[in-house]
Amino acid sequence: MTRHAIKTWLPVLAVAALFTGCNQQMAPPNEPLHLQHILSFHQLMAKQPKLKPQDPGHFFADGRSTRPFVEGTVARGSLGADPVFLTGKVSQLPPAVPATPVDPKLVLAQYAEEFPVEVNEALLKRGRERYNIYCNVCHGQTGSGDGTIVMRGFLKPPAFWEQSAGDKSHFSRGLRYQGAGQIELEKAPAGYLYHVITNGYGAMASYSAQIPPQDRWAIVAYIRALQKARATTITASAPAAGNDAHPKGAH
Ligand code: HEC
């Protein structure tokens, strides 16, 4: 085609492309591309010869379009080999037997007591930073459950530590629901706190998309620090007998 011919025909081709609607076939391999083939791209984009995941297909003998993993496939990314690090669980509950109460000890025993990561200053600092980004808005700066969103009317979460002698606002709701009985969140296994961040509980959503596993453990370590700090304050500030800083009658 000469330069002149291209100049003349190009606009015509462009306009023709707009009006094509027939179901042409793609050019077979090794054959030059003709106008018809170019026009058929338009049609193929509207109706793509692909299978969506889980669609049935006729190509493979088992009738499935989604192929099973090749034997020996090694998972990459966050799917690591350490289930405790990824789930916070060391075991699973045995299958429920109808009309038989769940053993509270087994419920608790599912969750890791120990941290699967080294707890050091760097982890706690990271945990404090992440806690203040993701959890503070509801659980509050110190873990009392009085974050800004709660003050605006959102369901108040349990406190992470005993707020005053005898109060019950720091008992785990999730563990009670699972059948473990009344467990203070100070005594809930670290793996359970991790489990709540990973899966959410009740009105609280899962944070697994926003917070990677290492950071979830960092947050759990920081919650432990908040709990210990408050427990110490309560004990340390309890007036010792015979040494009352505020004698009766003094205000
Ligand atoms: C949008 C508010 C909100 C945010 C943000 C939030 N939580 Fe919660 N959380 C709640 C509420 C509400 C509950 C109580 C849920 C219920 O009782 O239905 C709760 C419950 C919990 C519990 C106790 C579960 C139990 O067994 O009682 C833990 C532990 C917890 N959250 C940890 C966290 C951590 C850690 C973060 C940050 C990664 C976080 N939450 C972020 C609202 C929030």
Side-chain angles (χ1 to χ4, degrees), residues 134-135 137-139 149 154-158 160 171-175 185 192-193 196-197 201-204 207 211 219 223:
Y134 290 112
C135 323
V137 281
C138 290
H139 288 272
I149 296 183
F154 195 72
L155 178 72
K156 190 172 174 150
F160 289 142
F171 282 84
S172 165
R173 298 176 196 166
L175 286 174
L185 280 172
Y192 175 69
L193 303 181
V196 173
I197 304 176
Y201 167 69
M204 179 185 144
Y207 279 80
I211 310 177
I219 293 175
I223 293 177

Side-chain angles (χ1 to χ4, degrees), residues 54-155:
Q54 312 294 343
D55 266 0
H58 303 293
F59 189 76
F60 293 102
D62 63 4
R64 295 191 290 175
S65 59
T66 310
R67 306 315 301 150
F69 290 120
V70 176
E71 207 178 317
T73 304
V74 178
R76 298 280 165 177
S78 61
L79 291 171
D82 183 356
V84 178
F85 174 71
L86 292 174
T87 64
K89 284 188 165 190
V90 287
S91 64
Q92 297 291 333
L93 271 185
V97 184
T100 316
V102 197
D103 181 348
K105 284 203 195 86
L106 286 182
V107 173
L108 281 179
Q110 294 176 89
Y111 301 103
E113 287 284 352
E114 304 290 329
F115 281 77
V117 293
E118 193 192 324
V119 179
N120 52 28
E121 201 185 332
L123 190 84
L124 283 172
K125 276 196 179 149
R126 175 79 181 167
R128 180 176 61 193
E129 186 206 51
R130 298 289 107 178
Y131 177 89
N132 284 331
I133 292 172
Y134 290 112
C135 323
N136 188 338
V137 281
C138 290
H139 288 272
Q141 184 98 12
T142 64
S144 296
D146 56 357
T148 322
I149 296 183
V150 174
M151 286 154 94
R152 301 279 189 283
F154 195 72
L155 178 72

Side-chain angles (χ1 to χ4, degrees), residues 7-21 35 38-39 42:
K7 271 194 183 160
T8 316
W9 283 103
L10 207 62
V12 178
L13 287 182
V15 173
L18 290 176
F19 292 102
T20 175
L35 171 61
I38 297 172
L39 297 181
H42 174 73

